[in-house]
Structure formats: structure tokens, C-alpha cells
Amino acid sequence: MSKSKILVVGGTGYIGKRIVKASLAQGHPTYVLMRREIGYDIDKLQMLLSFKEQGARLVEGSFSDHQSLVDAVKQVDVVICTMSGVQFRSHNILLQLKLVDAIKEAGNIKRFLPSEFGMDPSRMGHSLEYGKETFEDKMVIRKAIEDAKIPYTYISANCFGGYFVGNLSQLGSLMPPRDRVSIFGDGNQKVVFMDEDDVATYTIKTVDDSRMLNKTLYLRPPKNIVTHNQLVEKWEKLTNQTFEKVHISAQEFLASIKSAHKPSFLGMDEKAIQAGLARIYHIYYEGCLMNFEIGNEGEEASKLYPEVQYTSVDEYLQRYL
């Protein structure tokens, strides 16, 4: 079978650039939307040109020009959108409604993967008010996709290692702490940490897989299901250190969200901080990533694609030595 042609929307972003790389690596004809609004963003332009050098095709389009999106979509078989859905970057989830309209009009797309790549929004209806916007917006997009009868795959990738592993899930820094570590609650909730390149590899695996038609792929490789306590213990073992551990109770943590307590997140406004803290609450205090069984609506990535040699948490930590 020939490989599906893939259009990546948001290809210069944190996950998007990895999706482009994985698509090319797995032999797919790869197209990247080059938005007219790029302006003077030289870093994005140079990244797009580097994709072109690697074999990707750049397709010009704009979310303010419906026909340009339709024309772009008509050139491919699969569309993957990786637009940001977190407040400390940009929050553009609902912009995908224009992409859904274009896909519906084009009528040729055999699979659409919208921008998710985090917690499963369908399980977050109870979420704290501070972080609710992202989950609600993603569900709006899901409804639009399903109402339009567009074939889809949703990706629940859980926690990106770059934000949660190297810093031992500490607030205010992406680097490992020196001698003191904060533990959320009792530290025993199971969390799933992922190498970002592995997220992209698993994502591309789904596009020609009939088993993933109209289903959710949950990324839960066994070596990456680790509690907060275990994550810290792994780092202590690697560095031959023992950290002072300070446990933060749920009540303390919730109070810090309400008071908009600001860790040293440079350039982040109050709303972005509160939304981020709310996600941490659900992950580390509620255990929302592992407190349910995957039913008939989904599949687990490492079981479905055992040939993928994923990066374990231990291997990810080695990068910070």
C-alpha cells in the first residue's frame, strides 16, 4: 500500500515539528501549511525551509482565507493539526473550526487528527474552572468533527517529558532541582511521561491503521508509568543524591491556585499560571491520567505498536546528567 499524504498544520510548533520529522521518517509524502501570517518570524520561516530541504512540501494557506485551506486539504489524504492549546504559549484550539469546515468542503480526507496531545478532554468535564477552557474547546472541535462525519483519530499523549521529567515536575524551572524537591500530595498517583519524539512516532503510526479509525490512542508505555515519588527516586539514584522532600497537600495547592500564587514563570500571566496549576492538580492529586481503563473507544500505543522502541523515563533523565 502507498503511504498516505499528510498535511501538518502547526508544523513549526513544539509537537508539530516532531510530527513533520516522524512523517518524513516513516516515508509519508509530507506537506506543511505555511501560513501567510508568518510575517517577520524568521525562526519559523527557516524551520519551514529546513523541512523543505528534508523533502517536505510547503503549502501556502491562511485561516482567514477559507479557499486556501480547502485547496491545501485537497492535496492530501490526512490532516494533523498541532496548534497550541495551552495559555502560556497561544490558545488557538477553536481556530480549528475553520479547518474542519475546509475538510468538510474538500470531502477527500480519510483521517483528521485534531490538536489534542494531552489529557483526554472527554474525561475532564469535572475540571477546575481555571483550566477548563482548553478541555471545553477541544470538545467543541470533537463535536464539529463528528457532526461533519469526518473520520478521526484522537491522541492522548499525557505529560511531555520536557516539561515534567527533567525538572522532576517542579514549578518555575525546566532544570533539575539542586537539593530540595516539592512532592504533590503523597506522591503516589501514577503519571505517564512521554518523550516528545515518541509522541510523534506513535501519532504517525495511526494514520494508515484501520484499527484507529474513529478511536483514541492512549500513550501509556509501561516503563513510563511512574509516580512523582518514583521519578524523584530515579533521579536520586542517578545522581547519588538525597533530596529534602516537602509534601504539598491538596488544600495548600488549591489555595495557591485561587490566590494566583506566581512561581517564577517568566512571561506568564495570571490566567496562564492558574490553568497550568489546575492541570497539575488533576494529574498529581486526582491521578486523572491513569484512574480509568481504556475501553472499546481506544487503544494503548505500546501494545498496538510494539515495534516502536520508546524512550523510557530513565533514559530521558540521563539527558540532564
Side-chain angles (χ1 to χ4, degrees), residues 265-281:
F265 293 161
L266 299 178
M268 290 178 61
D269 62 18
E270 181 179 306
K271 181 180 179 181
I273 292 169
Q274 288 181 318
L277 293 176
R279 288 180 180 82
I280 287 172
Y281 178 80

Side-chain angles (χ1 to χ4, degrees), residues 13-304:
Y14 186 66
I15 289 298
K17 62 188 177 187
R18 293 172 167 88
I19 295 286
V20 174
K21 177 183 174 183
S23 179
L24 289 167
Q26 293 183 41
H28 290 271
T30 304
Y31 297 64
V32 183
L33 188 71
M34 181 170 66
R35 294 170 63 183
R36 296 169 187 164
E37 296 83 357
I38 194 171
Y40 277 83
D41 194 329
I42 188 67
D43 291 332
K44 284 188 177 181
L45 177 59
Q46 290 181 343
M47 189 182 302
L48 288 165
L49 293 175
S50 74
F51 292 155
K52 186 177 179 182
E53 290 176 357
Q54 296 167 52
R57 179 175 174 181
L58 305 183
V59 182
E60 189 175 334
S62 172
F63 278 85
S64 60
D65 181 350
H66 172 71
Q67 190 58 48
S68 73
L69 293 180
V70 174
D71 292 343
V73 166
K74 282 184 176 180
Q75 298 181 56
V76 299
D77 308 301
V78 173
V79 176
I80 302 176
C81 187
T82 62
M83 300 175 72
S84 176
V86 291
Q87 284 79 359
F88 69 86
R89 286 180 175 269
S90 58
H91 193 271
N92 296 319
I93 293 298
L94 291 182
L95 202 56
Q96 291 178 102
L97 289 172
K98 296 185 178 184
L99 191 55
V100 170
D101 288 341
I103 291 171
K104 184 177 179 181
E105 181 173 328
N108 63 301
I109 294 303
K110 71 176 189 181
R111 198 79 62 89
F112 177 40
L113 285 70
S115 186
E116 296 214 352
F117 304 103
M119 307 175 196
D120 181 351
S122 69
R123 299 181 182 277
M124 298 307 296
H126 68 289
S127 64
L128 297 174
E129 189 63 34
Y130 308 105
K132 207 166 193 175
E133 179 185 11
T134 297
F135 304 126
E136 290 179 339
D137 286 357
K138 287 180 177 180
M139 291 307 295
V140 169
I141 300 303
R142 283 193 179 193
K143 185 176 187 303
I145 292 168
E146 293 169 27
D147 285 350
K149 294 182 169 39
I150 296 170
Y152 63 83
T153 297
Y154 302 139
I155 307 292
S156 179
N158 300 308
C159 292
F160 297 152
Y163 287 103
F164 291 92
V165 173
N167 61 354
L168 307 186
S169 300
Q170 301 302 286
L171 302 177
S173 174
L174 295 176
M175 295 300 292
R178 293 182 180 274
D179 50 23
R180 184 176 183 270
V181 63
S182 296
I183 302 291
F184 301 124
D186 62 12
N188 290 325
Q189 294 285 3
K190 291 181 179 179
V191 183
V192 187
F193 301 106
M194 289 300 305
D195 177 279
E196 292 85 347
D197 290 329
D198 292 342
V199 171
T201 297
Y202 282 125
T203 298
I204 297 299
K205 284 278 186 182
T206 68
V207 300
D208 285 326
D209 188 347
S210 61
R211 297 172 296 178
M212 285 311 304
L213 178 63
N214 296 339
K215 284 191 172 186
T216 299
L217 184 73
Y218 294 93
L219 277 57
R220 290 181 174 183
K223 294 178 183 177
N224 292 20
I225 300 172
V226 177
T227 68
H228 199 181
N229 285 330
Q230 289 170 335
L231 178 64
V232 173
E233 288 167 7
K234 287 176 181 294
W235 182 248
E236 287 180 322
K237 184 177 179 180
L238 274 174
T239 59
N240 197 28
Q241 288 179 276
T242 300
F243 286 93
E244 176 191 354
K245 299 174 182 66
V246 179
H247 289 262
I248 303 173
S249 70
Q251 293 74 19
E252 290 176 290
F253 195 84
L254 286 170
S256 74
I257 303 177
K258 292 176 182 178
S259 64
H261 173 65
K262 297 186 178 182
S264 56
F265 293 161
L266 299 178
M268 290 178 61
D269 62 18
E270 181 179 306
K271 181 180 179 181
I273 292 169
Q274 288 181 318
L277 293 176
R279 288 180 180 82
I280 287 172
Y281 178 80
H282 293 301
I283 293 167
Y284 289 94
Y285 291 91
E286 291 185 349
C288 70
L289 303 182
M290 287 296 296
N291 63 1
F292 63 92
E293 296 295 325
I294 298 172
N296 294 330
E297 77 285 356
E299 301 286 349
E300 197 285 308
S302 65
K303 291 179 180 177
L304 204 61

